[in-house]
Amino acid sequence: MESTLQQFDQIMASCREVFLNKHQDYGSSWRIFRPSSLTDQLFIKAKRLRSIEEKGLQLVDDPLDGEYKGLINYSILAIIQSRLPADSGLDLSAEEVAALYDTEIRGTRALLEKKNHDYGEVWRELRLTSITDLMLAKLLRIRQIEENQGHTLVSEGQEGNFRDIINYAVFALILLEDGSSDPQ
């Protein structure tokens, strides 16, 4: 478990750096996204991974680890967006963005610790293709929750699904880094 948490922290530090560098380049232009647009961005990234897995061929040179990091960062954006008041402005300072990002990293890491306690490290035995399918299923759930105007009867809701996507993407990056998962 300690190894997983260290790997999580390393991956999240890398994602955070990308996130904050993009904020420096683009400002908080992401604030204009509606929830469904963020969900669709995530869906595009996950569908690209599945397409490459199914075809066994990648024609665009964007590295796959960038897609997983994108899934992490867009999921964090979605959680941040859902927590910000509707009347908050579009422009956020670098300090505000970093603080919001760090809050969501802590929340997601805490969830990872709880689930890893209960499930063990069973995710290390998954195939990347299964992780992709799990993320796509979570995204379809989020889309349905959006169609239901955020109301659920028994499910964990959108935030829990976004946090699961973050952790699945972290797991995929760990498996890729360790070379311990069959890419097909």
Side-chain angles (χ1 to χ4, degrees), residues 25-141:
D25 287 349
Y26 305 132
S28 16
S29 59
W30 52 269
R31 289 280 296 127
I32 201 75
F33 283 126
R34 290 175 269 198
S36 59
S37 297
L38 288 168
T39 304
D40 286 347
Q41 277 297 120
L42 285 157
F43 191 73
I44 289 166
K45 292 190 172 301
K47 285 294 280 189
R48 176 174 184 251
L49 290 168
R50 184 168 176 153
S51 174
I52 291 168
E53 290 167 356
E54 289 176 345
K55 294 174 185 170
L57 179 64
Q58 176 181 343
L59 297 181
V60 177
D61 262 350
D62 295 338
L64 295 182
D65 69 332
E67 295 297 345
Y68 291 111
K69 289 178 180 181
L71 285 160
I72 290 167
N73 282 339
Y74 275 109
S75 293
I76 290 173
L77 282 178
I79 296 169
I80 291 171
Q81 284 281 64
S82 72
R83 291 176 177 269
L84 289 173
D87 63 349
S88 63
L90 293 180
D91 293 322
L92 300 173
S93 71
E95 294 77 20
E96 289 174 300
V97 169
L100 291 166
Y101 193 92
D102 292 344
T103 296
E104 300 317 325
I105 288 174
R106 284 190 300 275
T108 303
R109 189 180 196 273
L111 178 65
L112 170 67
E113 287 181 272
K114 289 176 185 175
K115 286 193 173 186
N116 239 19
H117 174 271
D118 289 356
Y119 291 94
E121 300 241 313
V122 70
W123 61 267
R124 288 190 183 271
E125 298 174 37
L126 297 178
R127 297 177 192 107
L128 286 176
T129 53
S130 295
I131 291 173
T132 301
D133 290 350
L134 288 165
M135 288 188 291
L136 282 166
K138 294 285 182 180
L139 286 164
L140 292 174
R141 291 175 184 178

Side-chain angles (χ1 to χ4, degrees), residues 138-160:
K138 294 285 182 180
L139 286 164
L140 292 174
R141 291 175 184 178
I142 292 166
R143 284 175 143 190
Q144 185 60 51
I145 293 168
E146 288 171 349
E147 293 298 315
N148 296 339
Q149 284 77 46
H151 300 291
T152 60
L153 298 175
V154 295
S155 83
E156 61 192 330
Q158 292 173 302
E159 184 177 314

